[in-house]
Amino acid sequence: MSGELLYDGVRPDNPHLSNLSKIEFVITYACTGRCIHCSEGDHPAGGANIDADIAADAVRKIAGAYPIKTVMTFGGEPLLHADTVCKIHAAAREMGVPRRQIITNGYFSKVPACITETAAALAAAGVNHILLSVDAFHQATIPLDIVRCFAKAVTAQDIVLRLQPAWLVNAADDNPYNNRTRQILAGFSDMDIPVGDGNIIFPSGNAKRYLSEYFGDSVPENPYIEDPYDVRCVSFDPDGGVLDGNVHRQDVMDILANYRPIR
Ligand code: SF4
């Protein structure tokens, strides 16, 4: 379901946020993968997780003041905390946010019944778009049969699903990782899942450590860097950090009102 945006135009007087249209949550840095291209580096088990009710409340407040088009959850592996993901997207649906999206590696359980149940819970919460990370890097440590099980469960729920490979250098480059990724994608041909553009790996975290030989003169830029003077996406960290504040300790609208770019 995607209704009308329910924002009423009452928003903090902050010119640096006047084009805000997206909310992101890094649900957790914990992950079931150990990818050598991961821009975040290593993923220690445990660590902070954003409070589900506070996160959902932040969605309602921000989407009540700004025309938010997308709420996205990712990680780490966000579905290690599927209940939190569901609460966030249910709040987004309640506020009429049209795109309610998850990026996942599809590996949060080995139990088919649990995978099916989680896919149903995501659909019930209003998740309507899933980007599934599949490529040579993810499948070095993440079992493909379980990812396929998740893909089938999601497809059965009529959630839009896209395969989202990471490419090294560019999608056309002939290197062992890209070639393996093409093989893995071909292994999904029986499921008829569209393949998205994916993303080009940039030198950060593990990628900088393990794949530096592939970054020559034209180094790909980090596509996730925001202009601090024109913030279009507010991103929450697992510990509740957002902009200059923390939603576990402050009201999110006060954080937005008081945000100033660092000169
Ligand atoms: S790239 Fe994604 S799946 Fe792989 S370790 Fe990093 S967060 Fe986990």
Side-chain angles (χ1 to χ4, degrees), residues 37-247:
H37 76 306
C38 185
S39 61
E40 291 167 7
D42 296 331
H43 291 268
N49 308 307
I50 195 159
D51 180 274
D53 291 323
I54 290 175
D57 185 56
V59 169
R60 288 189 196 94
K61 286 177 174 169
I62 298 173
Y66 292 90
I68 300 299
K69 305 282 183 14
T70 301
V71 169
M72 176 189 278
T73 50
F74 57 102
E77 175 41 53
L79 296 180
L80 291 173
H81 298 278
D83 290 351
T84 302
V85 169
C86 286
K87 279 197 176 180
I88 288 170
H89 289 293
R93 178 178 58 184
E94 186 186 312
M95 299 306 297
V97 176
R99 177 163 287 207
R100 304 175 295 269
Q101 188 174 54
I102 303 174
I103 305 177
T104 173
N105 65 31
Y107 183 38
F108 51 93
S109 169
K110 294 178 179 172
V111 181
C114 174
I115 293 169
T116 304
E117 196 178 303
T118 300
L122 296 176
V127 171
N128 60 10
H129 203 272
I130 292 181
L131 297 175
L132 183 59
S133 302
V134 286
D135 49 50
F137 304 99
H138 289 84
Q139 266 53 71
T141 57
I142 294 171
L144 200 51
D145 58 329
I146 292 177
V147 177
R148 282 175 57 90
C149 177
F150 176 69
K152 277 183 190 157
V154 164
T155 304
Q157 294 293 336
D158 287 334
I159 299 173
V160 173
L161 181 65
R162 297 272 181 280
L163 303 181
Q164 179 80 347
W167 298 106
L168 193 53
V169 185
N170 59 60
D173 194 66
D174 180 11
N175 64 64
Y177 294 104
N178 286 1
N179 293 337
R180 175 70 186 129
T181 293
R182 291 183 192 100
Q183 284 177 350
I184 290 167
L185 294 175
F188 278 86
S189 59
D190 61 315
M191 296 179 69
D192 206 21
I193 303 170
V195 180
D197 292 339
N199 51 280
I200 307 299
I201 297 167
F202 55 92
S204 173
N206 281 355
K208 191 172 181 181
R209 196 179 311 163
Y210 298 118
L211 298 168
S212 57
E213 65 189 281
Y214 290 95
F215 301 121
D217 296 335
S218 57
V219 176
E221 287 183 6
N222 181 342
Y224 306 113
I225 291 177
E226 278 281 334
D227 177 355
Y229 291 87
D230 182 21
V231 176
R232 290 158 188 255
C233 171
V234 284
S235 183
F236 291 77
D237 290 331
D239 68 356
V242 54
L243 297 175
D244 301 330
N246 190 299
V247 76

